[in-house]
Amino acid sequence: MSYRRAITTRLRVPGGRWLHVVEHRPQVCFGPTLVLESGLGLSRLLWARTVPRLTAQGMTVVTYDRAGLGLSPPTGRGRPLRELTGDLLHVVASRAGSGAILVAHSYGAILARHAAALRPEMVTGLVLIEPSTERILAEASLPGRMIDAAVQGLLVAAYRLGGGGAVLDASGFRHLPRNLRRRVRAEDSDAATVRSRGHELFHYPQALMSLAANPLPAPAVPVTVLRARGPSAWAWAAYEYASAVPNGRVMVARTRSHMVPLTDPGSVVRAVVSTATRRPMASEDLPARDGR
């Protein structure tokens, strides 16, 4: 094992809730603290192949489950962006008093950027992996919402019929070792999990439209966007965003899969190291608003 121990806690958050948080400590700590944020409807186990590689770099790695995912209890309702970001900031405050690099996948990148805008003193860097973006509003349009709703309905039916494990394997979790695949099936393949995904999905279009109408300030910290190989509108958006951020950079993974943390964890490590070794920008060098 590349980390000495994993410390599991139930972190109390507002509303009488708690979140399942795991802190992975390296044998010798000489790097920054990382907080990992998963994509929509995904638990901390998305990072199972990435965590050992990051702790091997001397970094303390914090993973957690959002409400209703993994081992965190559900709320039974939709979760708007401000609530999800608030939970993320509670995790950072509890595990990284001097700030953390946020490493975020897909929709998690929206949360990470929002957290950096709300509490910039708590964020020392951003690694955005295959990020969702308000620069592409197709999913916020009526056809996009209808497609997402149809997909969610199919997932609910599949999970109720016991097919959640097969769905997870097809999405990329098959790359995990057998013991971790069993854990994924035990924690993430039931109907309650897919309902919690639906609760996050309900507010997803509004989050995109809100950020499009009210651009976030440019972060002063180093930002790395890690995208999958191959041309796409999201690849174009990654370059556009990084060019508008004073300390931004785009890196390309070796996989074409959206699930980069599962299919190409080595590229995640390279993006994190790149971010950790760059210096923040001086405040006078920053544009007022996200390059727009």
Side-chain angles (χ1 to χ4, degrees), residues 175-260:
H175 295 281
L176 295 180
R178 183 174 300 176
N179 64 318
L180 289 175
R181 287 175 65 190
R182 285 197 295 267
R183 184 183 299 180
V184 170
R185 286 173 177 260
E187 294 184 15
D188 298 340
S189 65
D190 60 356
T193 296
V194 79
R195 283 197 299 270
S196 294
R197 179 189 186 276
H199 293 153
E200 293 189 349
L201 180 65
F202 182 80
H203 287 280
Y204 175 57
Q206 181 57 44
L208 295 180
M209 292 189 294
S210 176
L211 295 187
N214 303 283
L216 297 174
V221 296
V223 178
T224 301
V225 180
L226 178 63
R227 70 171 187 85
R229 295 185 64 85
S232 71
W234 281 265
W236 165 83
Y239 284 107
E240 185 184 55
Y241 172 72
S243 67
V245 175
N247 206 354
R249 175 180 298 177
V250 176
M251 299 179 68
V252 181
R254 293 171 296 190
T255 179
R256 292 180 179 270
S257 169
H258 178 64
M259 304 291 275
V260 176

Side-chain angles (χ1 to χ4, degrees), residues 153-168:
L154 291 173
L155 289 175
V156 168
Y159 277 57
R160 284 177 175 171
L161 293 172
V167 172
L168 290 166

Side-chain angles (χ1 to χ4, degrees), residues 16 66 95 97 182 197 274 281 285:
R66 293 194 298 273
R95 293 295 177 269
R182 285 197 295 267
R197 179 189 186 276
S274 171
M281 298 292 291
D285 295 330

